[in-house]
Amino acid sequence: MSGAYEGSREETFTALRTQLQEAAAAFSDGPGALEGILLGLVDDVDRAVREPLEIFPVCHHSPASAIAMARRLREKQPKVVYLELCEDMAPLLTELRNCRLPVAVQAFASEVDGFPAEWSPLSVVAPITEASAEYQAIAYALDTPGVELVLVDRSSDHVFQWDARGTSAAAPADHDAPPAEEEAALHGEAVGLEIGDLRPRFAELEEHLLRHGRVRHWSEWWHQYVELPLGDSDHDTYRQVMLLIGSLFRRLAPGDPHRVRVDEDRERYMWTRMREHLAATGADPADCLYVCGAFHAASRVAEFGVHGTDTFEIGPRTATTWQHGLIPSSHAAIEAQFGLAAGSVSIAATVWAKNVKRTRVEPYRLAGQAGTKKPRAGKSAGAPAPVAAVPPSDRLTGFLERPPALDRLDEAELLGWSVDIVRAARRNGYLASTADAIAVFETSILLAGMRDRAKPTPYDFQDAAVTCIEKDTVPGRRDVRRLVEIMMGGDRIGRVGYDALPPLARDVHDRLAPLNLKLQKRGVQRALLDMAGRPELERCSDVLWMLRHLMPHGAARPIMGERRLGERSVQESWDLALGTHQRALIELGYEGVSIEQVLEQRLRRTAYAPQATAATVLRCVEDATLYLRSRRLADELGTRALEALSAERNVDGAPEVLRRVRGLLAYYRTSEPVLPPWIESFATTGYAHYCTLLPTAFTDDDATVRQVAAMLGFLFSMESLALSLGCDRTQLELAVAQSHPEDPSKTALLWAAKSHLGALSRADLRAKCDELLGNPLVVPSYPRYLSGFVHALEPVPGLTDFVVEAVSNAFARLPDTVLLPWLPTLITTLRSGGAELAPLLIREAGRIFPGRLSALDAWVPPWRDRPEPEAQYAAPRTGGAGGSALLAAHPGTCDAVARLLGCDGTWETAGPGPSGAALVSAYPDTAAAVAALMAGS
């Protein structure tokens, strides 16, 4: 058979070669580069059609390719199908029968080994629709006994080995109509793989084709000049035309060295794999079919063909562990990833359905495929016998010389489109009427005539609808262009079936089964959990809280109920959209077999990251306690938090460290018999750590007053625990004494700290504030001192009444030129950095100020209504002896307190000097009040 082919090799395209030589001589004034290109195209076609292993060129998501593929498979009945798809994706293809198309085969790697860490995660997707040639080949091979399907393209690992980061694997984006729906992001940032990346890489060529074809974008050109002419063509014509287009785009592609090298290496890789398979199985090339993109079918590498050289060496894969699965896809996602015009894939699906009906070609569908029609009985059983191979004949000459067939106008179809778009426009807020339907109908015919078309295409109709209906505004969420796309088939969204989900996703569905919701359904569903009446729903609540932590926002959103340390809700309400975010749930399955395992891995990864801070690790400790209830993991991460704190040399995370360690300490004190060893070590280490950093932080311009206040809050709140564990308070006193801030707010914060330590009294603080208000040079900066006092409520909440007093004095004494510009600063300070401090001030002000407006005029602030020292109460003396009569009459109470404090001593006898308790003598009000209370009782 090959000998017959060789005998007629020179005669097959002789006529075409002669015509092209004459054309080259006529258009270029003699032979030259043009003749070389034109004859090279014929050589590429001739070489491909004479290859013993039949090459079937396709274009991705092309209805013409799908129809030609289905027809050829039924005629040839190949025993081996070689498919241009990543070879490591082969085990997943059988799961397509459990999915509703379109879906994408995905290879995913969250942890990389052999690639730069910043590339992680790595993702490769290959979308599959029903109107694609590769799906026809897959369905035929998987459902036909004795047929082997072999994927021969480079592995997912080699995709990233060969591709420089930043070089997109997809075609250039078409920005004519950006997708308006969120489904365009279903593939995320994955690298897309498609069979037949058939698009000119020469910008001038594409511009020339679009301009002379009178179309707006590449998808419309392909539909008009390739899809429609090849829709009814025979196999040889389709094959030679596709090879010619692939060769044309290949020869006119710009010489990007990297891209050319990758393309040629892919071709060497595929032919090497096919020859290896033929040698291993002994299969006859005549019984095989090689399905690849038309661009690769016109290859000129030395390894091309079953008799090519075997000089190409396939390199090893990296140590990266790849996970494989199926994720949902959509028409919009395919268009966005591969640079197609919005709506083109939906239009292709409509054209595919029409072609199937018109040509009566029975397509292949996987048995049990969701969302597809079942084959009619008796059709699949009576498959035709394979046809005998015949020498190829020249079909290009006749195809290129034949004028395009004029497709007569289908008035009923166009009229239906016009009525439907007006109806859809009215539903979306447009003031459209029957007159607009007539205008769209006539304008579509007019546009088609201006573009030399007898029948308006969907793109002509879309332009006419936009012109006649949209006018100048879009009243709703969708414009007319998007409405036409939806009307032509819509953005069909695929779904991965339960049986094709990874174990983690199936486990989530099983554990949420008590909610009685259709979790695979797209859209938002409301789940009500009454744990008091149905205790078994507590497990569902645990799953939902973990999903909220792991999945994107909106997948699981709590409406009612919360989860905090030491608190559990008895009723919860959730909005669930797991069907909408099915891709994210599937990718969780690549990281582990259960959501608990994935959450633990992520917490560890976050805690042990090089840039992890103590605050970050404490958050992981809190999450491990909240969601996993794992004391083991919490202790491990707590030890890691201790290490992170010791390594920090700044105070940026001090506020969050204080907040989280306070919450964890309160939780352990109420739920555990003893504190975990790590939190005790954290208290002592943090006490020494912040004491060391305190003097520097007071003078550092990069350290904010809120951060310094958080440091003091940690030291003061952890002081009792730290001292009980062996820390020395002198270290804190020395750190405060060594602090000499220059910033007014930090100075006020230091005064508050000294007040807490007893180095400054309330009277001293009042005196300092009065001195500031009395100094005209300092008055403009007094509000900054007040800001420091407000932040001091974090470490010293006992100063709340004094802060209210200081703020009140500021409002009473500061001039308006100083006070009014300061008010916005005070409000923003409380809102951004002191939101939790405002309730303290409000509550204290409510206690001090009168509750009625009428009482305000006669009200005197308590800090101005203090008794004078000379008017203080003088305690009565008994028997000429000074001191308190109550203590003298009842000395047992004082003796008991002395024994409790470990004080040894005896009562003094009355003498000429002051006698009795000096404290009681200096402040007799308390003793007098107790005496009056006792006398009254």
Side-chain angles (χ1 to χ4, degrees):
M1 181 174 59
S2 61
Y5 284 0
E6 291 297 332
S8 60
R9 178 183 180 92
E10 298 298 332
E11 293 80 8
T12 303
F13 295 101
T14 300
L16 181 59
R17 293 176 194 274
T18 302
Q19 294 183 29
L20 292 179
Q21 285 176 335
E22 295 175 354
F27 286 103
S28 60
D29 297 329
L34 179 58
E35 180 182 356
I37 293 176
L38 295 178
L39 296 182
L41 299 179
V42 180
D43 292 338
D44 291 342
V45 175
D46 192 20
R47 182 186 188 191
V49 298
R50 295 184 181 281
E51 173 60 33
L53 195 160
E54 181 178 334
I55 303 174
F56 194 95
V58 300
C59 178
H60 203 41
H61 307 301
S62 166
S65 294
I67 286 292
M69 173 63 72
R71 182 188 295 115
R72 183 56 179 168
L73 289 173
R74 294 197 179 277
E75 293 174 352
K76 183 179 178 65
Q77 296 287 303
K79 298 179 180 178
V80 179
V81 176
Y82 297 112
L83 184 62
E84 179 194 337
L85 195 61
C86 290
E87 57 186 3
D88 54 330
M89 295 180 176
L92 287 174
L93 299 182
T94 57
E95 297 294 340
L96 288 175
R97 66 180 75 252
N98 298 318
C99 304
R100 176 178 296 172
L101 300 180
V103 296
V105 187
Q106 183 185 40
F108 186 88
S110 56
E111 297 181 1
V112 297
D113 186 356
F115 299 104
E118 60 269 17
W119 290 15
S120 177
L122 304 179
S123 180
V124 180
V125 297
I128 297 176
T129 64
E130 186 179 2
S132 58
E134 65 266 35
Y135 176 72
Q136 296 298 310
I138 292 171
Y140 163 79
L142 294 183
D143 282 352
T144 304
V147 176
E148 184 179 4
L149 178 64
V150 183
L151 306 187
V152 295
D153 200 1
R154 55 184 174 164
S155 67
S156 305
D157 197 90
H158 286 91
V159 170
F160 289 94
Q161 287 187 38
W162 293 358
D163 255 349
R165 202 61 167 176
T167 302
S168 175
D174 201 333
H175 302 288
D176 294 293
E181 304 291 340
E182 63 180 6
E183 283 75 19
L186 278 178
H187 296 170
E189 298 180 355
V191 174
L193 299 176
E194 57 178 342
I195 296 181
D197 180 11
L198 206 55
R199 181 170 183 162
R201 297 183 184 178
F202 191 34
E204 287 79 1
L205 173 61
E206 181 171 345
E207 181 183 357
H208 176 83
L209 294 176
L210 298 184
R211 183 174 67 253
H212 289 275
R214 299 179 183 180
V215 293
R216 291 180 293 110
H217 45 70
W218 174 250
S219 299
E220 185 177 0
W221 186 93
W222 181 267
H223 173 85
Q224 177 67 25
Y225 294 100
V226 180
E227 284 293 332
L228 297 182
L230 291 182
D232 296 323
S233 62
D234 60 274
H235 169 66
D236 288 337
T237 302
Y238 164 84
R239 188 180 174 206
Q240 293 176 21
V241 171
M242 290 292 288
L243 288 171
L244 179 68
I245 296 175
S247 176
L248 174 66
F249 292 165
R250 188 183 189 100
R251 287 183 176 271
L252 295 184
D256 181 359
H258 172 73
R259 192 165 186 179
V260 171
R261 178 179 57 82
V262 171
D263 288 333
E264 292 181 349
D265 283 349
R266 288 183 64 186
E267 293 154 5
R268 296 184 179 99
Y269 194 109
M270 290 187 285
W271 280 109
T272 301
R273 288 301 192 202
M274 285 186 282
R275 283 195 297 272
E276 290 176 353
H277 181 269
L278 291 173
T281 61
D284 186 355
D287 295 331
C288 303
L289 187 68
Y290 172 33
V291 182
C292 68
F295 190 88
H296 297 297
S299 174
R300 300 188 301 274
V301 297
E303 290 80 3
F304 179 88
V306 293
H307 301 298
T309 62
D310 288 321
T311 58
F312 183 71
E313 295 184 2
I314 299 176
R317 303 181 187 179
T318 66
T320 300
T321 301
W322 289 88
Q323 304 288 338
H324 297 85
L326 297 170
I327 62 173
S329 183
S330 68
H331 292 172
I334 298 171
E335 293 158 359
Q337 187 167 40
F338 298 108
L340 305 175
S344 59
V345 178
S346 298
I347 293 175
T350 303
V351 173
W352 157 257
K354 291 181 179 179
N355 288 349
V356 170
K357 184 177 180 180
R358 185 184 70 255
T359 61
R360 296 184 181 181
V361 173
E362 184 181 356
Y364 287 94
R365 293 185 175 94
L366 287 171
Q369 178 77 63
T372 60
K373 298 180 181 179
K374 295 182 179 179
R376 288 173 291 181
K379 287 290 183 180
S380 58
V387 297
V390 296
S393 58
D394 179 14
R395 301 298 180 91
L396 276 179
T397 303
F399 181 85
L400 296 176
E401 291 178 346
R402 184 173 64 247
L406 296 180
D407 194 358
R408 65 181 184 84
L409 173 63
D410 189 344
E411 293 187 359
E413 180 187 57
L414 182 58
L415 185 61
W417 287 356
S418 303
V419 173
D420 290 342
I421 190 57
V422 169
R423 184 184 298 115
R426 292 184 63 85
R427 286 198 301 264
N428 285 268
Y430 290 91
L431 299 178
S433 63
T434 304
D436 293 306
I438 299 173
V440 172
F441 180 87
E442 297 295 340
T443 305
S444 300
I445 299 176
L446 177 62
L447 286 177
M450 295 173 60
R451 295 166 179 173
D452 295 333
R453 303 169 187 168
K455 176 182 178 182
T457 67
Y459 298 99
D460 298 326
F461 172 76
Q462 187 179 57
D463 292 341
V466 172
T467 303
C468 299
I469 297 177
E470 191 163 289
K471 308 300 189 295
D472 57 344
T473 59
V474 178
R477 185 166 64 95
R478 298 185 176 99
D479 57 10
V480 174
R481 189 177 303 278
R482 180 61 181 155
L483 294 178
V484 173
E485 296 168 10
I486 295 175
M487 190 191 73
M488 289 293 176
D491 185 14
R492 198 168 302 167
I493 303 172
R495 186 176 68 190
V496 180
Y498 174 86
D499 295 330
L501 292 173
L504 180 144
R506 293 200 300 267
D507 179 62
V508 168
H509 283 278
D510 295 340
R511 293 166 68 176
L512 295 180
L515 299 179
N516 297 321
L517 297 176
K518 297 179 180 179
L519 297 178
Q520 287 194 325
K521 182 180 178 181
R522 294 185 59 84
V524 179
Q525 302 178 72
R526 180 62 58 86
L528 303 176
L529 285 74
D530 181 13
M531 276 79 76
R534 298 179 60 190
E536 67 273 11
L537 294 181
E538 290 186 7
R539 297 183 177 180
C540 296
S541 174
D542 295 338
V543 174
L544 293 176
W545 282 107
M546 285 187 280
L547 290 177
R548 177 179 179 269
H549 184 84
L550 294 171
M551 295 189 67
H553 176 74
R557 185 166 61 93
I559 304 301
M560 180 184 68
E562 60 182 355
R563 179 161 291 194
R564 296 180 180 177
L565 289 174
E567 299 180 10
R568 295 293 301 273
S569 302
V570 296
Q571 288 185 335
E572 294 177 355
S573 176
W574 290 80
D575 275 353
L576 302 180
L578 297 184
T580 304
H581 296 271
Q582 191 181 48
R583 169 178 172 264
L585 181 61
I586 291 173
E587 290 186 349
L588 285 182
Y590 300 155
E591 302 182 42
V593 296
S594 68
I595 52 177
E596 287 85 359
Q597 180 187 5
V598 174
L599 180 56
E600 181 173 341
Q601 289 175 354
R602 289 195 179 182
L603 292 178
R604 278 203 175 92
R605 191 181 306 124
T606 303
Y608 287 93
Q611 66 275 15
T613 62
T616 304
V617 183
L618 286 176
R619 184 179 71 246
C620 295
V621 175
E622 186 175 337
D623 292 341
T625 305
L626 277 178
Y627 304 124
L628 297 177
R629 304 177 191 172
S630 173
R631 176 66 181 275
R632 169 191 55 80
L633 181 60
D635 290 347
E636 177 187 340
L637 298 182
T639 304
R640 167 60 183 161
L642 182 62
E643 299 172 358
L645 180 66
S646 302
E648 290 183 357
R649 293 298 176 265
N650 55 57
V651 295
D652 295 344
E656 188 175 357
V657 169
L658 173 63
R659 180 174 62 87
R660 294 195 181 277
V661 78
R662 275 180 176 174
L664 289 168
L665 187 60
Y667 169 75
Y668 286 127
R669 279 175 171 169
T670 57
S671 62
E672 300 286 344
V674 294
L675 292 178
W678 75 265
I679 203 168
E680 294 181 348
S681 301
F682 194 91
T684 56
T685 303
Y687 190 85
H689 179 72
Y690 285 133
C691 281
T692 304
L693 296 179
L694 189 62
T696 305
F698 266 113
T699 58
D700 188 2
D701 293 337
D702 293 334
T704 64
V705 63
R706 180 169 179 261
Q707 294 170 350
V708 179
M711 293 177 61
L712 291 173
F714 183 94
L715 293 171
F716 293 163
S717 60
M718 295 288 172
E719 184 177 14
S720 58
L721 177 60
L723 295 181
S724 67
L725 295 174
C727 291
D728 189 357
R729 195 169 194 254
T730 307
Q731 188 177 7
L732 175 59
E733 295 174 347
L734 290 174
V736 173
Q738 294 172 357
S739 301
H740 305 287
E742 297 179 358
D743 183 73
S745 57
K746 292 183 180 179
T747 301
L749 187 60
L750 179 63
W751 292 345
K754 289 183 176 181
S755 173
H756 177 79
L757 295 176
L760 280 179
S761 63
R762 286 292 183 90
D764 296 333
L765 287 177
R766 290 189 180 95
K768 288 182 177 295
C769 291
D770 292 339
E771 181 182 355
L772 293 174
L773 288 174
N775 188 344
L777 298 178
V778 184
V779 164
S781 62
Y782 184 74
R784 300 179 62 188
Y785 286 93
L786 289 183
S787 298
F789 281 126
V790 170
H791 281 93
L793 296 180
E794 178 72 57
V796 192
L799 287 180
T800 306
D801 58 338
F802 174 77
V803 176
V804 173
E805 174 186 341
V807 174
S808 301
N809 288 334
F811 277 88
R813 299 176 57 179
L814 286 177
D816 290 346
T817 56
V818 176
L819 184 62
L820 293 180
W822 169 66
L823 287 179
T825 304
L826 176 64
I827 295 173
T828 55
T829 299
L830 290 176
R831 180 174 295 178
S832 61
E836 67 279 2
L837 305 176
L840 296 176
L841 293 175
I842 296 173
R843 186 165 51 248
E844 184 65 21
R847 187 186 67 83
I848 294 177
F849 288 90
R852 296 181 179 275
L853 184 62
S854 58
L856 187 61
D857 294 336
W859 175 74
V860 179
W863 52 85
R864 294 185 182 177
D865 194 27
R866 292 191 193 88
E868 297 298 330
E870 58 272 16
Q872 287 184 356
Y873 173 81
R877 297 179 181 275
T878 303
S884 174
L886 185 62
L887 285 178
H890 302 281
T893 302
C894 189
D895 293 337
V897 174
R899 288 193 302 271
L900 181 62
L901 297 176
C903 299
D904 297 329
T906 58
W907 285 86
E908 294 182 358
T909 58
S915 60
L919 184 62
V920 176
S921 300
Y923 301 95
D925 293 347
T926 304
V930 174
L933 181 62
M934 297 294 293
S937 59

